[in-house]
Amino acid sequence: MKKTILTGLRPTGNLHLGHLFGAGQNYVKLQDEYEFFLEIADVQALTDNFNNPEKVRKNVYEITMDLLAIGIDPKKVNIFLQSKIPEIAELTVYYSNLVTVNRLFRNPTVKAEVAQKKELFGNNGESITYGFLGYPVSQAADITALSGEVVPVGDDQLPLLEQCREIVRKFNNIYGETLKEPEAYLSNVTRLKGLDGNEKMGKSLGNAIFLVDSEEVISKKVMAAVTDPSKIKKDDPANPDICMVYYYHKLVTPDSELKNVCSECKAGKRGCVSCKKELINNLCEFLKPIKEKRKQYEDNPKLVKDILDNGTCNAKKKAEDTLRKVKHAMKIDY
Ligand code: TRP
């Protein structure tokens, strides 16, 4: 019997290279070994985008196409839509008795996000909503509804997984052994830096290359990338290890070429502009098959919808089964 993987993504924007190298490539590997449920977490996305439903709706399809384009195989992975599984919302209600408000306020992931979202939740988080504060409970419902045993996440998500494990333990303690405690599987050990040298590539940081970026957009972004600041003139020698252009060359440039990039840079035989142009070219080559695959789905929205419907149907059956057990354990199976 294959173990079950459950992971989720908030549909708030397209996937970028950070997602691909950090998590996406890993999902593609794991899809052969596990029973895989991949949630498009639109209900969770609404907790901090409740005032922008169009954005969430659009990105449900955008992100699904991105996932398919990077090689997630819908025959192996159930891509499903959270809002179409009311069982998850119902579980959230039952689990909300098992977690204190203080515990949620102390959750480091929630804290960090509230601090970032001042416009929405106030300078000191005084306007935080009940829904946002409670999203870790809803995430515990996502995981347990599908009986996720392994949850591939980035390290920023670990406090959410811990919260889920606590809820599971408390549930089992009070109502009897019913739910499985999930394990984290750290999937983004390779966190990609941004073009600006920031430790993380992120949509909100404005330093990301999206899989759907055109050559023109990629050019603009790469041309503005941070290089060795001590290099002033074209033939100054420089240190590739502190250059973001070289950092990205390492990801997409063939080894034979890469050696030259490094040695020429160190020897002052490579101007940054031509080095950037080569990178732009190689990035576009790298993204070409992904874009080609994506185009097939863009041209066939019905297929994308069918894939989501099918994944959701499979996920719903599992969630119904979990809910039945939960209600039985809680003595509300009237
Ligand atoms: N919170 C996750 C994120 O922001 C998305 C998510 C929703 C998730 N449900 C999940 C991750 C269940 C793992 C398991 O990236």
Side-chain angles (χ1 to χ4, degrees):
M1 267 271 278
K2 284 183 176 176
K3 278 198 172 187
T4 303
I5 274 194
L6 178 288
T7 192
L9 292 156
R10 288 185 197 177
T12 53
N14 282 103
L15 296 187
H16 53 62
L17 285 179
H19 292 121
L20 178 62
F21 286 97
Q25 286 180 340
N26 202 21
Y27 297 167
V28 174
K29 266 188 240 145
L30 294 171
Q31 66 185 350
D32 291 313
E33 298 160 40
Y34 291 86
E35 186 179 10
F36 203 139
F37 290 93
L38 185 45
E39 180 185 78
I40 310 294
D42 60 337
V43 177
Q44 187 177 118
L46 282 165
T47 62
D48 59 343
N49 291 280
F50 54 85
N51 51 359
N52 204 350
E54 294 83 12
K55 171 176 153 192
V56 175
R57 188 183 177 98
K58 169 173 176 270
N59 281 304
V60 164
Y61 298 103
E62 288 294 312
I63 219 167
T64 303
M65 290 192 287
D66 283 345
L67 288 166
L68 294 166
I70 65 167
I72 300 287
D73 181 347
K75 291 198 190 72
K76 297 176 184 161
V77 177
N78 297 294
I79 308 178
F80 71 98
L81 193 54
Q82 186 183 13
S83 61
K84 299 259 281 196
I85 310 208
E87 287 76 9
I88 293 177
E90 190 171 343
L91 287 171
T92 306
V93 174
Y94 302 141
Y95 295 169
S96 64
N97 295 326
L98 307 178
V99 54
T100 66
V101 173
N102 275 332
R103 175 69 180 86
L104 291 168
F105 273 122
R106 277 194 324 246
N107 185 306
T109 309
V110 174
K111 261 191 180 168
E113 287 178 284
V114 171
Q116 273 169 18
K117 297 172 203 290
K118 293 196 182 348
E119 216 172 288
L120 211 50
F121 299 138
N123 279 337
N124 302 303
E126 65 279 6
S127 309
I128 188 172
T129 58
Y130 167 58
F132 190 80
L133 181 66
Y135 95 73
V137 185
S138 145
Q139 187 154 320
D142 296 340
I143 297 169
T144 53
L146 279 303
S147 306
E149 298 170 271
V150 180
V151 185
V153 283
D155 51 6
D156 60 315
Q157 294 286 308
L158 288 178
L160 295 171
L161 203 78
E162 201 41 51
Q163 188 100 64
C164 173
R165 290 161 59 94
E166 282 174 34
I167 290 171
V168 167
R169 286 198 293 268
K170 195 152 178 191
F171 188 100
N172 289 343
N173 255 325
I174 298 173
Y175 303 113
E177 203 61 32
T178 311
L179 303 169
K180 252 185 229 158
E181 222 178 293
E183 267 168 54
Y185 178 110
L186 270 185
S187 66
N188 70 345
V189 266
T190 41
R191 168 165 288 168
L192 213 59
K193 293 187 189 174
L195 288 165
D196 54 356
N198 193 304
E199 279 307 309
K200 189 180 169 187
M201 176 178 276
K203 179 182 37 169
S204 50
L205 298 166
N207 62 4
I209 293 179
F210 293 92
L211 305 180
V212 292
D213 277 351
S214 66
E215 179 165 357
E216 210 188 332
V217 171
I218 292 175
S219 285
K220 249 199 208 136
K221 290 179 177 173
V222 172
M223 281 302 174
V226 168
T227 54
D228 179 350
S230 72
K231 180 166 166 126
I232 314 281
K233 294 193 299 304
K234 187 167 138 251
D235 43 11
D236 284 343
N239 177 6
D241 293 330
I242 57 170
C243 173
M244 293 321 293
V245 178
Y246 183 60
Y247 179 88
Y248 279 90
H249 265 301
K250 283 193 282 191
L251 296 173
V252 295
T253 298
D255 281 345
S256 53
E257 236 179 276
L258 190 65
K259 273 195 206 124
N260 292 340
V261 176
C262 183
S263 59
E264 289 171 12
C265 174
K266 284 181 176 163
K269 288 186 180 146
R270 162 172 284 262
C272 289
V273 172
S274 62
C275 188
K276 284 175 173 175
K277 284 195 175 142
E278 263 175 54
L279 175 62
I280 293 161
N281 194 35
N282 292 350
L283 273 170
C284 290
E285 276 305 304
F286 174 82
L287 290 174
K288 204 166 148 192
I290 295 177
K291 286 202 179 133
E292 280 169 5
K293 190 147 191 200
R294 197 179 195 282
K295 176 110 189 3
Q296 294 170 9
Y297 293 104
E298 287 163 7
D299 292 345
N300 194 349
K302 164 95 171 50
L303 178 59
V304 179
K305 193 170 178 307
D306 286 348
I307 288 171
L308 265 178
D309 284 349
N310 183 51
T312 303
C313 179
N314 294 337
K316 191 165 186 328
K317 281 187 210 129
K318 262 196 111 163
E320 283 168 0
D321 192 44
T322 304
L323 184 65
R324 202 176 311 115
K325 288 181 188 147
V326 160
K327 290 180 81 166
H328 177 72
M330 294 181 73
K331 308 198 186 302
I332 48 173
D333 53 341
Y334 299 106

